[in-house]
Amino acid sequence: MSDNPLLSLGDSYEALVNKFKVQLAGKYPQQLIAPNTVLVQQGDLQSYGYLVVDGVLGAIHDDIDGMQKCKEFYFKNEFALLFANWMTSTPAFYQLKVINEANVIKVPLTLFEQAQYQLIKQQLIAQQLIFKEAKEAFLLLNSPEQRYCYLLKHKPHWLAQLSLSQVAMYIGISAISLSRIRKRLNLS
């Protein structure tokens, strides 16, 4: 890892999530959704966010050459939402899809227009800013091998739920490069 201290990558605030669940209780049921289900299509306006109770969602961009780029994976107790597109009312840059079977609470984004949800909206936006700063530092201040070693040490539960090609996409390298890193680390 670099000599620069990193913010913790992608950790949810347990208290915030639990508070949000309490506010949602009885209003929006949990839904079990199959893998590869697209929740928000790239290019569409999003109407819902998804509180992940269990499973994994991903924000994936498909380019015109058929290549995929990963913006983010969302794990248990994270709120899956394309924040920039929501805040600007613009079409989604990414598709939001189910990676591993997921149990989610589907939350209409109009909910955050109500007075009683303004504080939680502000807290979710603040949390997202911290997450994005952490990921930017993770990607810019570390080599691909350092990024992978960070995940090994701090996020083994992520690695257990993602394929190697998904991990490579997340840390910004090819699957072949990740294979070479794993070989150097005697993990292949």
Side-chain angles (χ1 to χ4, degrees):
M1 249 19 252
S2 70
D3 293 336
N4 301 308
L6 291 180
L7 297 168
S8 188
L9 188 63
D11 289 322
S12 64
Y13 298 134
E14 194 88 21
L16 177 57
V17 168
N18 288 333
K19 179 180 171 182
F20 195 28
K21 283 181 183 176
V22 166
Q23 285 186 302
L24 297 173
K27 296 178 185 154
Y28 304 99
Q30 293 182 18
Q31 300 176 12
L32 188 62
I33 305 177
N36 298 314
T37 301
V38 175
L39 303 172
V40 176
Q41 192 62 253
Q42 185 173 309
D44 287 355
L45 291 174
Q46 60 187 332
S47 300
Y48 298 92
Y50 299 86
L51 183 58
V52 182
V53 177
D54 198 29
V56 181
L57 306 183
I60 309 294
H61 177 82
D62 292 318
D63 68 20
I64 57 173
D65 298 322
M67 300 295 296
Q68 290 191 324
K69 293 184 172 71
C70 174
K71 172 189 179 289
E72 197 62 69
F73 289 107
Y74 303 91
F75 298 89
K76 181 178 181 177
N77 290 333
E78 293 184 358
F79 192 59
L81 174 65
L82 305 173
F83 278 86
N85 296 123
W86 173 45
M87 301 301 295
T88 59
S89 299
T90 56
F93 298 138
Y94 309 90
Q95 66 175 331
L96 192 57
K97 70 184 264 185
V98 178
I99 303 301
N100 295 340
E101 183 176 76
N103 193 3
V104 302
I105 300 173
K106 183 177 177 181
V107 181
L109 296 178
T110 55
L111 186 77
F112 295 108
E113 296 168 11
Q114 298 174 25
Q116 67 266 34
Y117 290 97
Q118 289 300 299
L119 180 59
I120 197 91
K121 176 183 179 180
Q122 182 180 30
Q123 291 170 328
L124 286 168
I125 292 168
Q127 175 184 328
Q128 182 67 10
L129 176 61
I130 292 167
F131 286 176
K132 292 300 140 192
E133 288 286 323
K135 186 166 183 192
E136 183 177 308
F138 172 75
L139 291 171
L140 293 176
L141 303 178
N142 297 289
S143 69
E145 186 167 326
Q146 289 171 319
R147 291 178 218 148
Y148 184 65
C149 287
Y150 176 89
L151 296 179
L152 283 171
K153 182 176 180 181
H154 299 284
K155 303 295 178 191
H157 58 288
W158 288 13
L159 297 177
Q161 296 178 74
L162 298 173
S163 70
L164 291 176
S165 62
Q166 290 166 336
V167 172
M169 189 175 17
Y170 183 78
I171 63 175
I173 62 174
S174 70
I176 292 169
S177 294
L178 180 57
S179 178
R180 290 180 186 137
I181 289 169
R182 289 174 47 81
K183 187 174 182 176
R184 274 196 304 273
L185 298 172
N186 293 318
L187 296 173
S188 55

